[in-house]
Short mmCIF file of all heavy atoms in Angstrom, two decimals:
data_model
loop_
_atom_site.label_atom_id
_atom_site.label_comp_id
_atom_site.label_asym_id
_atom_site.label_seq_id
_atom_site.Cartn_x
_atom_site.Cartn_y
_atom_site.Cartn_z
N ARG A 89 110.14 171.40 12.65
CA ARG A 89 109.07 171.61 11.67
C ARG A 89 109.60 172.09 10.32
O ARG A 89 108.87 172.09 9.34
CB ARG A 89 108.05 172.61 12.22
CG ARG A 89 106.71 172.43 11.55
CD ARG A 89 105.57 172.84 12.37
NE ARG A 89 105.43 174.28 12.43
CZ ARG A 89 104.37 174.88 12.91
NH1 ARG A 89 103.37 174.17 13.37
NH2 ARG A 89 104.31 176.19 12.97
N MET A 90 110.89 172.42 10.24
CA MET A 90 111.47 172.90 9.00
C MET A 90 111.36 171.88 7.84
O MET A 90 111.00 172.27 6.72
CB MET A 90 112.92 173.32 9.19
CG MET A 90 113.53 173.94 7.94
SD MET A 90 115.26 174.34 8.15
CE MET A 90 115.13 175.97 8.85
N PRO A 91 111.63 170.58 8.05
CA PRO A 91 111.45 169.63 6.94
C PRO A 91 110.00 169.55 6.45
O PRO A 91 109.76 169.38 5.25
CB PRO A 91 111.91 168.30 7.51
CG PRO A 91 112.81 168.65 8.62
CD PRO A 91 112.28 169.92 9.19
N PHE A 92 109.04 169.68 7.34
CA PHE A 92 107.63 169.68 6.94
C PHE A 92 107.35 170.87 6.02
O PHE A 92 106.69 170.72 4.98
CB PHE A 92 106.74 169.73 8.18
CG PHE A 92 105.28 169.91 7.88
CD1 PHE A 92 104.53 168.87 7.37
CD2 PHE A 92 104.66 171.12 8.12
CE1 PHE A 92 103.19 169.04 7.09
CE2 PHE A 92 103.32 171.31 7.84
CZ PHE A 92 102.58 170.26 7.33
N HIS A 93 107.86 172.03 6.39
CA HIS A 93 107.69 173.21 5.55
C HIS A 93 108.42 173.05 4.21
O HIS A 93 107.91 173.44 3.17
CB HIS A 93 108.18 174.47 6.25
CG HIS A 93 107.34 174.89 7.40
ND1 HIS A 93 105.99 175.12 7.31
CD2 HIS A 93 107.66 175.13 8.70
CE1 HIS A 93 105.51 175.48 8.49
NE2 HIS A 93 106.51 175.49 9.35
N ALA A 94 109.62 172.48 4.26
CA ALA A 94 110.39 172.28 3.03
C ALA A 94 109.65 171.35 2.08
O ALA A 94 109.67 171.56 0.86
CB ALA A 94 111.76 171.71 3.36
N GLU A 95 109.00 170.36 2.63
CA GLU A 95 108.22 169.42 1.80
C GLU A 95 107.05 170.13 1.12
O GLU A 95 106.76 169.89 -0.05
CB GLU A 95 107.71 168.30 2.70
CG GLU A 95 107.20 167.11 1.99
CD GLU A 95 106.86 165.99 2.95
OE1 GLU A 95 106.88 166.18 4.19
OE2 GLU A 95 106.54 164.92 2.43
N LYS A 96 106.40 171.02 1.84
CA LYS A 96 105.29 171.76 1.26
C LYS A 96 105.76 172.82 0.26
O LYS A 96 105.04 173.17 -0.67
CB LYS A 96 104.47 172.46 2.37
CG LYS A 96 103.84 171.51 3.35
CD LYS A 96 102.80 170.66 2.70
CE LYS A 96 102.17 169.74 3.72
NZ LYS A 96 101.39 168.69 3.08
N LEU A 97 106.97 173.33 0.46
CA LEU A 97 107.51 174.39 -0.41
C LEU A 97 108.27 173.85 -1.62
O LEU A 97 108.68 174.63 -2.48
CB LEU A 97 108.44 175.30 0.40
CG LEU A 97 107.77 176.15 1.47
CD1 LEU A 97 108.83 176.80 2.35
CD2 LEU A 97 106.88 177.18 0.84
N MET A 98 108.46 172.55 -1.70
CA MET A 98 109.26 171.97 -2.79
C MET A 98 108.75 172.34 -4.19
O MET A 98 109.55 172.68 -5.06
CB MET A 98 109.37 170.46 -2.63
CG MET A 98 110.21 169.81 -3.72
SD MET A 98 111.85 170.50 -3.93
CE MET A 98 112.73 169.63 -2.70
N PRO A 99 107.44 172.30 -4.46
CA PRO A 99 107.00 172.71 -5.81
C PRO A 99 107.39 174.15 -6.15
O PRO A 99 107.78 174.44 -7.29
CB PRO A 99 105.47 172.56 -5.76
CG PRO A 99 105.22 171.58 -4.68
CD PRO A 99 106.32 171.78 -3.68
N TYR A 100 107.31 175.04 -5.18
CA TYR A 100 107.70 176.42 -5.42
C TYR A 100 109.21 176.54 -5.58
O TYR A 100 109.70 177.36 -6.36
CB TYR A 100 107.20 177.32 -4.29
CG TYR A 100 105.71 177.26 -4.15
CD1 TYR A 100 105.12 176.57 -3.10
CD2 TYR A 100 104.89 177.87 -5.08
CE1 TYR A 100 103.75 176.50 -2.99
CE2 TYR A 100 103.51 177.81 -4.97
CZ TYR A 100 102.95 177.12 -3.92
OH TYR A 100 101.60 177.04 -3.81
N GLY A 101 109.96 175.72 -4.84
CA GLY A 101 111.40 175.70 -4.99
C GLY A 101 111.81 175.23 -6.38
O GLY A 101 112.74 175.78 -6.99
N VAL A 102 111.11 174.22 -6.89
CA VAL A 102 111.40 173.73 -8.24
C VAL A 102 111.05 174.80 -9.27
O VAL A 102 111.82 175.04 -10.21
CB VAL A 102 110.63 172.41 -8.52
CG1 VAL A 102 110.68 172.05 -9.99
CG2 VAL A 102 111.20 171.29 -7.67
N LEU A 103 109.93 175.46 -9.09
CA LEU A 103 109.52 176.51 -10.03
C LEU A 103 110.53 177.66 -10.04
O LEU A 103 111.03 178.06 -11.10
CB LEU A 103 108.13 177.03 -9.66
CG LEU A 103 107.61 178.20 -10.49
CD1 LEU A 103 107.32 177.75 -11.91
CD2 LEU A 103 106.37 178.78 -9.85
N ILE A 104 110.84 178.19 -8.87
CA ILE A 104 111.76 179.32 -8.78
C ILE A 104 113.17 178.91 -9.19
O ILE A 104 113.86 179.62 -9.92
CB ILE A 104 111.73 179.92 -7.36
CG1 ILE A 104 110.37 180.54 -7.09
CG2 ILE A 104 112.84 180.95 -7.18
CD1 ILE A 104 110.13 180.91 -5.65
N GLY A 105 113.62 177.73 -8.75
CA GLY A 105 114.94 177.25 -9.12
C GLY A 105 115.10 177.01 -10.61
O GLY A 105 116.14 177.31 -11.19
N SER A 106 114.05 176.49 -11.24
CA SER A 106 114.10 176.28 -12.69
C SER A 106 114.19 177.60 -13.42
O SER A 106 114.96 177.74 -14.39
CB SER A 106 112.86 175.51 -13.15
OG SER A 106 112.83 174.25 -12.56
N MET A 107 113.42 178.56 -12.97
CA MET A 107 113.48 179.88 -13.61
C MET A 107 114.87 180.50 -13.44
O MET A 107 115.41 181.09 -14.39
CB MET A 107 112.40 180.80 -13.04
CG MET A 107 111.01 180.40 -13.47
SD MET A 107 109.64 181.46 -12.98
CE MET A 107 110.15 182.31 -11.55
N LEU A 108 115.43 180.37 -12.25
CA LEU A 108 116.77 180.93 -12.01
C LEU A 108 117.82 180.22 -12.85
O LEU A 108 118.72 180.87 -13.43
CB LEU A 108 117.14 180.82 -10.52
CG LEU A 108 116.38 181.73 -9.56
CD1 LEU A 108 116.73 181.38 -8.12
CD2 LEU A 108 116.70 183.17 -9.84
N ALA A 109 117.75 178.89 -12.94
CA ALA A 109 118.73 178.13 -13.71
C ALA A 109 118.65 178.48 -15.19
O ALA A 109 119.67 178.71 -15.85
CB ALA A 109 118.54 176.64 -13.49
N LEU A 110 117.43 178.49 -15.72
CA LEU A 110 117.28 178.81 -17.14
C LEU A 110 117.68 180.26 -17.43
O LEU A 110 118.28 180.54 -18.48
CB LEU A 110 115.85 178.55 -17.59
CG LEU A 110 115.47 177.07 -17.72
CD1 LEU A 110 113.99 176.92 -18.01
CD2 LEU A 110 116.31 176.40 -18.79
#
Side-chain angles (χ1 to χ4, degrees):
R89 204 153 76 168
M90 185 183 273
F92 172 74
H93 291 305
E95 194 174 7
K96 299 294 181 194
L97 292 170
M98 181 54 84
Y100 301 105
V102 168
L103 176 69
I104 294 168
S106 297
M107 289 185 335
L108 290 173
L110 287 173

